[in-house]
Amino acid sequence: MISTLDIRIEKVGQSRISEMDFHHIEFARKYSDHMFIADYDGKEWKDFRIIPYGNIEVSPANPAIHYGQSIFEGLKAYKGENGQVLIFRPDKNYERMNKSAERMMMPQLPRELFIDAMHELINLDRDWVPDVAGTSLYIRPFMFATDEFIGVRPSDTYRYMIITCPVGAYYPKPVKVKIEEHFTRAVKGGTGYAKTAGNYAASLYPAWLAQQQGYDQLIWTDGQQHRYIEEAGTMNLMFMIDDTLITAPTGDTILAGVTRDSVLTLARDWGVKVEERPLEVQELLAAIKEGRLQEAFGTGTAATIAHIEAIGYRDEQYNLDLGERHFSDKVLETLDAIRTGKAEDKYGWNYIV
Ligand code: COI
C-alpha cells in the first residue's frame, strides 16, 4: 500500500486471468479482475474502493447519458525487467483529465486520486500486464455525472472510475485515411481539446461513411475552411516532408496527445527539424505528388505509431509507397525500449509500480 488514500479493497473470489491468451489479445475485449471507484458528493471525493470488475448501476435520469457530461483518459502500463510494471507518463494524462474536467464543468481530481488509485489498482492486477512484444495494459480512467436530474445544468455529483484491459495493436496494420471536407470534428471555442465522450460520438457517422469506401479513419480538417489538416480523432497526425516533421499545433481543436509530445521530444533530441504548424491539405497533396512526402503516421496511446498507407482526397486515393520508414520505425522502437525499461528513461517518463 503506497497510497495516502483510504481505499477499501474487495478482491475477486476467482481471477479470470486464465481466460486470457496473452499471445492473441484483441483490443479491449477482456477486462482485468478489479476496478477503482470514487464518488463526488458535491463537495468532496470520497468512498474510494477497488472492487471486482463488473456492471454498475446508474439512474435513468443520469446527465452523462442525456447530455454527455463525461470525460476519460487513456494510458498504458508495460511489463519491464524482473516483473516490474511501468506506467507511461501518467502525470500528462492527469493534467489533461483536469483540463477536460474544467471544460465540461466537472470537479477537479486531486493528483493522489488519479495517480495513487491507479498505482493500487495496477499493483493488484499486475499479472494482467502482458509481457508479449507489442502488448500492454490499457488503463482507462473516466468520470461522469451522476445526479438524478434531467435539467440542463452541471451535475452536482460525479463518479470517477478506472478500468484496465490487456491490449495489442489498436490498428494491427497500416491505415487508410480519408481527408474529410464536409463534417467537422472540432471548432475554435469548442471541445476538441477535451477528451469528452461527445467528440467521439460525433465522429462515428462521418467515420462510418468513410469506412464504407474502404478507409479506416478520417483526417479531420479545420471547421471553418476545411483547408488545414487537424487530427484523426483516434490519433494525432504527423508527416515527414523534405526531412521536416510537421504536425498540427495543439489548441482548441486538437487533442494534446501524450504520444504526440513524446515523439516531438525524441525528434528534437535527435536533431530532426520539427514544425508544429497548420499544414494545408494542398501542401500535403503537392508533397505526395512530387515525391517529397517521406513518412505519414498517426500517434496515440491506443494507436501508438500507426503507419498510413493511403490517403483519400475527394475521388482520388493516393497510395503511399514510401519505402523505409526510418523516423517512425526508430521512434516506435525507442518508445518501446523506454516504456519497457530496456532503454534509459532520460526524460523521466516511466512511473514504476
Ligand atoms: C487513446 O489513444 O487512448 C484513446 O483514448 C483513443 C481511442 C481511440 C481509444
Side-chain angles (χ1 to χ4, degrees):
M1 170 76 100
I2 57 101
S3 179
T4 51
L5 298 178
D6 184 12
I7 304 177
R8 176 172 65 80
I9 296 179
E10 180 195 331
K11 292 189 188 170
V12 288
Q14 177 76 47
S15 171
R16 288 176 286 101
I17 200 158
S18 60
E19 293 169 17
M20 277 304 302
D21 175 359
F22 285 110
H23 290 273
H24 301 96
I25 303 177
E26 262 191 275
F27 192 93
R29 290 290 177 193
K30 287 209 160 78
Y31 292 83
S32 316
D33 281 333
H34 299 93
M35 60 188 187
F36 174 82
I37 306 184
D39 287 312
Y40 187 78
D41 65 2
K43 290 192 184 69
E44 59 175 356
W45 287 103
K46 56 183 208 187
D47 199 8
F48 309 138
R49 60 235 192 246
I50 290 175
I51 61 170
Y53 173 88
N55 292 347
I56 53 169
E57 214 169 75
V58 293
S59 158
N62 176 306
I65 297 173
H66 294 272
Y67 309 119
Q69 220 191 352
S70 172
I71 59 173
F72 68 97
E73 270 303 323
L75 58 165
K76 281 177 173 172
Y78 296 81
K79 205 43 103 40
E81 308 286 303
N82 307 317
Q84 203 175 43
V85 171
L86 306 99
I87 305 179
F88 191 65
R89 306 190 76 181
D91 270 302
K92 294 291 277 181
N93 297 86
Y94 167 63
E95 281 167 26
R96 194 172 63 188
M97 184 97 184
N98 274 343
K99 280 197 183 126
S100 301
E102 181 191 41
R103 181 64 181 83
M104 303 308 291
M105 284 296 289
M106 300 168 84
Q108 295 287 294
L109 282 171
R111 185 176 180 278
E112 66 270 20
L113 185 48
F114 192 86
I115 301 286
D116 296 3
M118 187 177 297
H119 184 127
E120 289 297 337
L121 181 67
I122 304 300
N123 192 32
L124 185 61
D125 281 339
R126 59 191 304 131
D127 290 346
W128 286 82
V129 184
D131 61 1
V132 177
T135 65
S136 57
L137 186 78
Y138 187 77
I139 307 170
R140 172 53 64 91
F142 57 107
M143 189 203 299
F144 57 95
T146 51
D147 275 7
E148 187 167 35
F149 180 60
I150 53 169
V152 181
R153 59 130 173 90
S155 180
D156 289 327
T157 61
Y158 295 86
R159 177 162 287 185
Y160 172 63
M161 296 184 61
I162 311 173
I163 56 174
T164 71
C165 52
V167 294
Y170 188 79
Y171 293 117
K173 55 184 188 57
V175 292
K176 293 185 168 66
V177 285
K178 186 186 164 212
I179 297 174
E180 177 59 56
E181 292 187 295
H182 174 69
F183 295 99
T184 297
R185 173 185 174 274
V187 289
K188 284 204 167 59
T191 59
Y193 70 91
K195 220 160 164 55
T196 185
N199 288 346
Y200 295 80
S203 75
L204 297 177
Y205 177 61
W208 177 81
L209 290 175
Q211 281 152 11
Q212 302 315 298
Q213 301 175 323
Y215 292 99
D216 298 291
Q217 241 332 316
L218 296 171
I219 293 185
W220 293 103
T221 51
D222 69 280
Q224 270 165 324
Q225 305 175 74
H226 296 293
R227 180 169 159 194
Y228 297 101
I229 288 179
E230 300 236 302
E231 57 151 288
T234 50
M235 53 191 184
N236 296 110
L237 293 169
M238 298 199 180
F239 302 93
M240 186 73 81
I241 300 176
D242 294 331
D243 292 323
T244 301
L245 185 65
I246 306 174
T247 192
T250 54
D252 277 8
T253 59
I254 307 274
L255 193 85
V258 178
T259 311
R260 174 189 181 281
D261 181 79
S262 309
V263 173
L264 297 183
T265 302
L266 289 176
R268 289 187 170 112
D269 211 0
W270 294 341
V272 174
K273 193 169 166 213
V274 172
E275 289 179 0
E276 291 179 73
R277 64 163 173 91
L279 173 65
E280 277 200 49
V281 170
Q282 294 307 326
E283 186 184 345
L284 174 65
L285 297 179
I288 295 175
K289 288 177 199 158
E290 291 159 19
R292 291 182 296 106
L293 177 70
Q294 296 152 305
E295 300 191 41
F297 55 96
T299 68
T301 297
T304 62
I305 303 294
H307 293 300
I308 295 175
E309 66 173 15
I311 295 180
Y313 178 65
R314 297 187 181 165
D315 294 331
E316 292 281 334
Q317 181 169 304
Y318 298 90
N319 294 315
L320 309 181
D321 191 8
L322 303 177
E324 298 282 303
R325 297 153 169 149
H326 291 290
F327 176 77
S328 46
D329 281 348
K330 184 174 164 195
V331 160
L332 187 55
E333 213 172 281
T334 306
L335 281 178
D336 274 346
I338 296 174
R339 295 186 288 216
T340 52
K342 293 191 184 79
E344 187 203 348
D345 179 20
K346 68 181 208 182
Y347 313 100
W349 284 343
N350 289 326
Y351 175 96
I352 296 167
V353 178

